[in-house]
PDB file of all heavy atoms in Angstrom:
ATOM      1  N   ALA A 278       3.363  29.209   4.061  1.00 98.00           N
ATOM      2  CA  ALA A 278       4.707  29.424   4.609  1.00 98.00           C
ATOM      3  C   ALA A 278       4.589  30.120   5.988  1.00 98.00           C
ATOM      4  O   ALA A 278       5.261  29.701   6.983  1.00 98.00           O
ATOM      5  CB  ALA A 278       5.643  30.193   3.712  1.00 98.00           C
ATOM      6  N   LYS A 279       3.767  31.202   6.061  1.00 98.00           N
ATOM      7  CA  LYS A 279       3.641  31.925   7.323  1.00 98.00           C
ATOM      8  C   LYS A 279       2.921  31.069   8.364  1.00 98.00           C
ATOM      9  O   LYS A 279       3.238  31.012   9.520  1.00 98.00           O
ATOM     10  CB  LYS A 279       2.847  33.221   7.083  1.00 98.00           C
ATOM     11  CG  LYS A 279       3.723  34.325   6.443  1.00 98.00           C
ATOM     12  CD  LYS A 279       2.994  35.626   6.480  1.00 98.00           C
ATOM     13  CE  LYS A 279       3.758  36.543   5.489  1.00 98.00           C
ATOM     14  NZ  LYS A 279       2.818  37.454   4.799  1.00 98.00           N
ATOM     15  N   ALA A 280       1.965  30.311   7.888  1.00 98.00           N
ATOM     16  CA  ALA A 280       1.211  29.470   8.923  1.00 98.00           C
ATOM     17  C   ALA A 280       2.171  28.422   9.460  1.00 98.00           C
ATOM     18  O   ALA A 280       2.152  28.139  10.688  1.00 98.00           O
ATOM     19  CB  ALA A 280       0.037  28.876   8.199  1.00 98.00           C
ATOM     20  N   VAL A 281       2.977  27.815   8.576  1.00 98.00           N
ATOM     21  CA  VAL A 281       4.020  26.836   9.100  1.00 98.00           C
ATOM     22  C   VAL A 281       4.907  27.391  10.158  1.00 98.00           C
ATOM     23  O   VAL A 281       5.164  26.780  11.196  1.00 98.00           O
ATOM     24  CB  VAL A 281       4.698  26.235   7.849  1.00 98.00           C
ATOM     25  CG1 VAL A 281       5.960  25.385   8.381  1.00 98.00           C
ATOM     26  CG2 VAL A 281       3.777  25.250   7.046  1.00 98.00           C
ATOM     27  N   GLU A 282       5.289  28.613   9.880  1.00 98.00           N
ATOM     28  CA  GLU A 282       6.182  29.234  10.727  1.00 98.00           C
ATOM     29  C   GLU A 282       5.557  29.466  12.130  1.00 98.00           C
ATOM     30  O   GLU A 282       6.138  29.283  13.175  1.00 98.00           O
ATOM     31  CB  GLU A 282       6.666  30.654  10.177  1.00 98.00           C
ATOM     32  CG  GLU A 282       7.981  31.160  10.723  1.00 98.00           C
ATOM     33  CD  GLU A 282       8.275  32.502  10.054  1.00 98.00           C
ATOM     34  OE1 GLU A 282       8.460  32.471   8.793  1.00 98.00           O
ATOM     35  OE2 GLU A 282       8.242  33.500  10.723  1.00 98.00           O
ATOM     36  N   GLN A 283       4.286  29.876  12.056  1.00 98.00           N
ATOM     37  CA  GLN A 283       3.562  30.178  13.214  1.00 98.00           C
ATOM     38  C   GLN A 283       3.277  28.934  14.021  1.00 98.00           C
ATOM     39  O   GLN A 283       3.334  28.853  15.283  1.00 98.00           O
ATOM     40  CB  GLN A 283       2.238  30.834  12.871  1.00 98.00           C
ATOM     41  CG  GLN A 283       1.401  31.364  13.951  1.00 98.00           C
ATOM     42  CD  GLN A 283       0.085  31.977  13.494  1.00 98.00           C
ATOM     43  OE1 GLN A 283      -0.025  32.368  12.324  1.00 98.00           O
ATOM     44  NE2 GLN A 283      -0.899  32.095  14.379  1.00 98.00           N
ATOM     45  N   LEU A 284       3.077  27.818  13.369  1.00 98.00           N
ATOM     46  CA  LEU A 284       2.649  26.550  14.056  1.00 98.00           C
ATOM     47  C   LEU A 284       3.858  25.838  14.591  1.00 98.00           C
ATOM     48  O   LEU A 284       3.661  25.068  15.548  1.00 98.00           O
ATOM     49  CB  LEU A 284       1.825  25.655  13.058  1.00 98.00           C
ATOM     50  CG  LEU A 284       0.461  26.151  12.633  1.00 98.00           C
ATOM     51  CD1 LEU A 284      -0.094  25.357  11.509  1.00 98.00           C
ATOM     52  CD2 LEU A 284      -0.546  26.072  13.944  1.00 98.00           C
ATOM     53  N   GLY A 285       4.985  25.989  13.982  1.00 97.00           N
ATOM     54  CA  GLY A 285       6.177  25.384  14.499  1.00 97.00           C
ATOM     55  C   GLY A 285       6.309  23.780  14.185  1.00 97.00           C
ATOM     56  O   GLY A 285       5.563  23.300  13.378  1.00 97.00           O
ATOM     57  N   PRO A 286       7.261  23.156  14.828  1.00 96.00           N
ATOM     58  CA  PRO A 286       7.652  21.837  14.302  1.00 96.00           C
ATOM     59  C   PRO A 286       6.891  20.618  14.871  1.00 96.00           C
ATOM     60  O   PRO A 286       7.145  19.518  14.551  1.00 96.00           O
ATOM     61  CB  PRO A 286       9.144  21.756  14.827  1.00 96.00           C
ATOM     62  CG  PRO A 286       9.165  22.513  16.074  1.00 96.00           C
ATOM     63  CD  PRO A 286       8.101  23.634  15.957  1.00 96.00           C
ATOM     64  N   ASP A 287       5.786  20.843  15.710  1.00 96.00           N
ATOM     65  CA  ASP A 287       5.195  19.681  16.334  1.00 96.00           C
ATOM     66  C   ASP A 287       3.922  19.224  15.628  1.00 96.00           C
ATOM     67  O   ASP A 287       3.247  18.240  16.029  1.00 96.00           O
ATOM     68  CB  ASP A 287       4.677  20.077  17.731  1.00 96.00           C
ATOM     69  CG  ASP A 287       5.799  20.608  18.534  1.00 96.00           C
ATOM     70  OD1 ASP A 287       7.007  20.189  18.295  1.00 96.00           O
ATOM     71  OD2 ASP A 287       5.638  21.482  19.433  1.00 96.00           O
ATOM     72  N   VAL A 288       3.649  19.785  14.441  1.00 98.00           N
ATOM     73  CA  VAL A 288       2.334  19.425  13.836  1.00 98.00           C
ATOM     74  C   VAL A 288       2.570  19.443  12.310  1.00 98.00           C
ATOM     75  O   VAL A 288       3.359  20.155  11.737  1.00 98.00           O
ATOM     76  CB  VAL A 288       1.222  20.416  14.244  1.00 98.00           C
ATOM     77  CG1 VAL A 288       1.405  21.828  13.745  1.00 98.00           C
ATOM     78  CG2 VAL A 288      -0.203  19.882  13.904  1.00 98.00           C
ATOM     79  N   SER A 289       1.882  18.497  11.608  1.00 98.00           N
ATOM     80  CA  SER A 289       1.930  18.538  10.163  1.00 98.00           C
ATOM     81  C   SER A 289       0.796  19.389   9.628  1.00 98.00           C
ATOM     82  O   SER A 289      -0.135  19.769  10.427  1.00 98.00           O
ATOM     83  CB  SER A 289       1.714  17.113   9.575  1.00 98.00           C
ATOM     84  OG  SER A 289       2.741  16.235  10.013  1.00 98.00           O
ATOM     85  N   VAL A 290       0.824  19.855   8.392  1.00 98.00           N
ATOM     86  CA  VAL A 290      -0.223  20.660   7.746  1.00 98.00           C
ATOM     87  C   VAL A 290      -0.794  19.989   6.500  1.00 98.00           C
ATOM     88  O   VAL A 290      -0.096  19.272   5.896  1.00 98.00           O
ATOM     89  CB  VAL A 290       0.231  22.129   7.517  1.00 98.00           C
ATOM     90  CG1 VAL A 290       0.693  22.856   8.819  1.00 98.00           C
ATOM     91  CG2 VAL A 290       1.437  22.118   6.414  1.00 98.00           C
ATOM     92  N   GLN A 291      -2.010  20.447   6.211  1.00 98.00           N
ATOM     93  CA  GLN A 291      -2.703  19.953   4.976  1.00 98.00           C
ATOM     94  C   GLN A 291      -3.403  21.077   4.348  1.00 98.00           C
ATOM     95  O   GLN A 291      -4.001  21.975   4.861  1.00 98.00           O
ATOM     96  CB  GLN A 291      -3.816  18.972   5.487  1.00 98.00           C
ATOM     97  CG  GLN A 291      -4.616  18.417   4.338  1.00 98.00           C
ATOM     98  CD  GLN A 291      -5.554  17.311   4.732  1.00 98.00           C
ATOM     99  OE1 GLN A 291      -5.123  16.135   4.826  1.00 98.00           O
ATOM    100  NE2 GLN A 291      -6.779  17.560   4.985  1.00 98.00           N
ATOM    101  N   GLY A 292      -3.116  21.162   3.038  1.00 97.00           N
ATOM    102  CA  GLY A 292      -3.739  22.288   2.193  1.00 97.00           C
ATOM    103  C   GLY A 292      -2.817  22.774   1.183  1.00 97.00           C
ATOM    104  O   GLY A 292      -1.820  22.120   0.906  1.00 97.00           O
ATOM    105  N   ASN A 293      -3.040  23.944   0.578  1.00 98.00           N
ATOM    106  CA  ASN A 293      -4.136  24.826   0.794  1.00 98.00           C
ATOM    107  C   ASN A 293      -4.483  25.633  -0.463  1.00 98.00           C
ATOM    108  O   ASN A 293      -4.793  26.803  -0.373  1.00 98.00           O
ATOM    109  CB  ASN A 293      -3.827  25.769   2.011  1.00 98.00           C
ATOM    110  CG  ASN A 293      -2.775  26.761   1.655  1.00 98.00           C
ATOM    111  OD1 ASN A 293      -1.961  26.709   0.775  1.00 98.00           O
ATOM    112  ND2 ASN A 293      -2.825  27.910   2.378  1.00 98.00           N
ATOM    113  N   LEU A 294      -4.577  24.915  -1.621  1.00 98.00           N
ATOM    114  CA  LEU A 294      -4.924  25.624  -2.859  1.00 98.00           C
ATOM    115  C   LEU A 294      -6.433  26.057  -2.940  1.00 98.00           C
ATOM    116  O   LEU A 294      -7.299  25.332  -2.502  1.00 98.00           O
ATOM    117  CB  LEU A 294      -4.692  24.667  -4.044  1.00 98.00           C
ATOM    118  CG  LEU A 294      -4.835  25.271  -5.470  1.00 98.00           C
ATOM    119  CD1 LEU A 294      -3.682  26.097  -5.796  1.00 98.00           C
ATOM    120  CD2 LEU A 294      -5.189  24.212  -6.456  1.00 98.00           C
ATOM    121  N   ASP A 295      -6.605  27.341  -3.319  1.00 98.00           N
ATOM    122  CA  ASP A 295      -7.957  27.843  -3.535  1.00 98.00           C
ATOM    123  C   ASP A 295      -8.665  26.863  -4.608  1.00 98.00           C
ATOM    124  O   ASP A 295      -8.192  26.663  -5.662  1.00 98.00           O
ATOM    125  CB  ASP A 295      -7.915  29.244  -4.177  1.00 98.00           C
ATOM    126  CG  ASP A 295      -9.278  29.862  -4.350  1.00 98.00           C
ATOM    127  OD1 ASP A 295     -10.204  29.139  -4.500  1.00 98.00           O
ATOM    128  OD2 ASP A 295      -9.379  31.121  -4.341  1.00 98.00           O
ATOM    129  N   PRO A 296      -9.793  26.189  -4.223  1.00 98.00           N
ATOM    130  CA  PRO A 296     -10.397  25.216  -5.108  1.00 98.00           C
ATOM    131  C   PRO A 296     -10.649  25.824  -6.511  1.00 98.00           C
ATOM    132  O   PRO A 296     -10.567  25.025  -7.520  1.00 98.00           O
ATOM    133  CB  PRO A 296     -11.749  24.759  -4.413  1.00 98.00           C
ATOM    134  CG  PRO A 296     -11.538  25.259  -3.007  1.00 98.00           C
ATOM    135  CD  PRO A 296     -10.530  26.318  -2.990  1.00 98.00           C
ATOM    136  N   ILE A 297     -10.959  27.024  -6.574  1.00 98.00           N
ATOM    137  CA  ILE A 297     -11.258  27.683  -7.887  1.00 98.00           C
ATOM    138  C   ILE A 297      -9.992  27.892  -8.752  1.00 98.00           C
ATOM    139  O   ILE A 297     -10.026  27.974  -9.930  1.00 98.00           O
ATOM    140  CB  ILE A 297     -12.057  28.999  -7.746  1.00 98.00           C
ATOM    141  CG1 ILE A 297     -13.107  28.874  -6.671  1.00 98.00           C
ATOM    142  CG2 ILE A 297     -12.671  29.433  -9.110  1.00 98.00           C
ATOM    143  CD1 ILE A 297     -14.350  28.085  -7.021  1.00 98.00           C
ATOM    144  N   ALA A 298      -8.871  27.845  -8.054  1.00 98.00           N
ATOM    145  CA  ALA A 298      -7.552  27.941  -8.780  1.00 98.00           C
ATOM    146  C   ALA A 298      -7.351  26.790  -9.712  1.00 98.00           C
ATOM    147  O   ALA A 298      -6.457  26.801 -10.525  1.00 98.00           O
ATOM    148  CB  ALA A 298      -6.365  28.155  -7.821  1.00 98.00           C
ATOM    149  N   LEU A 299      -8.095  25.695  -9.478  1.00 98.00           N
ATOM    150  CA  LEU A 299      -7.946  24.478 -10.356  1.00 98.00           C
ATOM    151  C   LEU A 299      -8.356  24.885 -11.761  1.00 98.00           C
ATOM    152  O   LEU A 299      -8.064  24.201 -12.765  1.00 98.00           O
ATOM    153  CB  LEU A 299      -8.881  23.422  -9.933  1.00 98.00           C
ATOM    154  CG  LEU A 299      -8.455  22.613  -8.621  1.00 98.00           C
ATOM    155  CD1 LEU A 299      -9.459  21.588  -8.236  1.00 98.00           C
ATOM    156  CD2 LEU A 299      -7.075  22.037  -8.781  1.00 98.00           C
ATOM    157  N   LEU A 300      -9.022  26.029 -11.918  1.00 98.00           N
ATOM    158  CA  LEU A 300      -9.500  26.446 -13.299  1.00 98.00           C
ATOM    159  C   LEU A 300      -8.397  27.279 -13.981  1.00 98.00           C
ATOM    160  O   LEU A 300      -8.570  27.617 -15.184  1.00 98.00           O
ATOM    161  CB  LEU A 300     -10.670  27.341 -13.215  1.00 98.00           C
ATOM    162  CG  LEU A 300     -11.971  26.675 -12.596  1.00 98.00           C
ATOM    163  CD1 LEU A 300     -13.179  27.583 -12.602  1.00 98.00           C
ATOM    164  CD2 LEU A 300     -12.285  25.381 -13.254  1.00 98.00           C
ATOM    165  N   LEU A 301      -7.275  27.598 -13.363  1.00 98.00           N
ATOM    166  CA  LEU A 301      -6.146  28.300 -13.954  1.00 98.00           C
ATOM    167  C   LEU A 301      -5.587  27.494 -15.113  1.00 98.00           C
ATOM    168  O   LEU A 301      -5.534  26.300 -15.192  1.00 98.00           O
ATOM    169  CB  LEU A 301      -5.052  28.539 -12.889  1.00 98.00           C
ATOM    170  CG  LEU A 301      -5.283  29.677 -11.903  1.00 98.00           C
ATOM    171  CD1 LEU A 301      -4.291  29.524 -10.771  1.00 98.00           C
ATOM    172  CD2 LEU A 301      -5.232  30.997 -12.559  1.00 98.00           C
TER     173      LEU A 301
END
Side-chain angles (χ1 to χ4, degrees):
K279 285 190 189 142
V281 164
E282 201 179 300
Q283 187 179 343
L284 289 168
D287 304 328
V288 68
S289 299
V290 296
Q291 175 173 280
N293 71 338
L294 184 79
D295 183 337
I297 317 287
L299 289 177
L300 301 186
L301 283 166

